[in-house]
Amino acid sequence: MAPLRFSANVSWLFPELPSLPARLRAAGSSGFEAAEVGWPYGEPPEALARTAQEVGLQLVLINTPPGDREKGEMGLGAVPGRQAAFRDGLEQAVLYAKALGCPRIHLMAGRVPQGADRAAVRGEMETVFLENLRHAAGVLAQENLVGLLEPINTRITDPRYFLDTPQQAAAILEKVGRPNLQLQMDIFHWQIMDGNLTGNIREFLPFVGHVQVAQVPGRGEPGSPGELNFPYLFQLLEDEGYKGFVG
């Protein structure tokens, strides 16, 4: 039973530091051996790679670009009419992942279009997502990279996000059927949407390629006040044989 390996999510940690290189240095100084960053695209990949190397950090996860933030986009994978932009963003993410030596890319699903009824567009959005995921799996396989699907809660964080439960994500992964596409388990989102963490972790962990954690409801670090018992959850992940990183 191997001990858990932790990575610093520098999109959330060290917010007092303005730049990603500074946050990477802080993560290394704090004893982390791995780091992840949501969107590294404001910095040249070579600069980030150099900083990570200098402080002994392995980069383990980035996201695909969000799209047009000013128009409210938060990922493009399932958004009808944005297939070309998703594929362009995927190419950019692959370039960064290769430069950073980062093996995993979170393929962001995106939001239900403004004003649309979720139930009415669900079928169309899933069809778009499946098409984009099959394309992404092929692109990523050529570079020996893994794509991840992360459900994001629609109760608090993002009411319009398309992919919001582990059950929905697992069903989509099964339909795509590509071994280099896996589940990204953010315990914060899973607790808010479904609870039943012990059962869900045991059921879905065989398909999980990356884990993220934050306290509920405040989204603080695991030691902050909240409803999750992290010593128990971390022990459960170890007991179930999880070998990946915990962000």
Side-chain angles (χ1 to χ4, degrees):
M1 188 169 63
L4 294 179
R5 300 182 295 166
F6 291 91
S7 70
N9 189 331
V10 295
S11 295
W12 289 87
L13 292 174
F14 314 110
E16 70 279 5
L17 300 174
S19 73
L20 285 178
R23 293 183 183 195
L24 290 172
R25 290 190 190 94
S29 299
S30 300
F32 285 98
E33 296 179 357
E36 56 198 76
V37 55
W39 295 310
Y41 305 106
E43 302 273 354
E46 298 79 12
L48 293 176
R50 189 165 53 249
T51 301
Q53 190 172 23
E54 286 170 359
V55 298
L57 282 175
Q58 176 187 0
L59 280 157
V60 298
L61 176 69
I62 61 173
N63 296 348
T64 48
D68 190 336
R69 298 293 299 274
E70 291 186 5
K71 293 183 178 176
E73 291 183 328
M74 182 61 72
L76 300 171
V79 181
R82 296 289 275 150
Q83 289 94 321
F86 170 79
R87 294 180 184 204
D88 289 344
L90 176 66
E91 295 295 338
Q92 185 182 19
V94 168
L95 284 174
Y96 268 75
K98 289 170 64 179
L100 298 170
C102 176
R104 296 169 204 83
I105 299 174
H106 167 206
L107 306 169
M108 298 196 73
R111 291 170 169 156
V112 173
Q114 190 80 42
D117 176 69
R118 176 181 291 271
V121 299
R122 181 177 178 123
E124 180 187 8
M125 292 189 72
E126 181 172 304
T127 298
V128 170
F129 203 21
L130 292 171
E131 174 190 318
N132 280 333
L133 289 174
R134 291 187 182 106
H135 169 79
V139 171
L140 296 174
Q142 292 176 355
E143 305 294 346
N144 200 28
L145 298 171
V146 171
L148 299 173
L149 274 60
E150 180 190 17
I152 293 175
N153 83 80
T154 48
R155 289 190 166 139
I156 297 175
T157 302
D158 198 334
R160 287 172 36 227
Y161 204 75
F162 172 70
L163 193 70
D164 64 353
T165 68
Q167 292 82 2
Q168 181 191 10
I172 287 172
L173 285 173
E174 187 174 0
K175 288 177 182 177
V176 178
R178 300 296 171 84
N180 66 328
L181 298 185
Q182 298 174 347
L183 194 55
Q184 181 170 320
M185 174 171 68
D186 189 326
I187 287 174
F188 171 81
H189 295 304
W190 288 29
Q191 168 69 1
I192 289 169
M193 288 304 294
D194 200 48
N196 188 32
L197 288 177
T198 300
N200 281 336
I201 287 171
R202 286 179 173 152
E203 178 179 357
F204 295 111
L205 199 62
F207 316 108
V208 167
H210 190 74
V211 172
Q212 292 177 326
V213 297
Q215 188 55 276
V216 177
R219 211 170 189 178
E221 56 201 52
S224 59
E227 64 194 57
L228 294 181
N229 178 354
F230 278 104
Y232 170 81
L233 292 170
F234 290 153
Q235 189 62 55
L236 178 63
L237 288 171
E238 281 194 19
D239 291 346
E240 293 297 314
Y242 178 64
K243 300 286 197 299
F245 284 93
V246 178

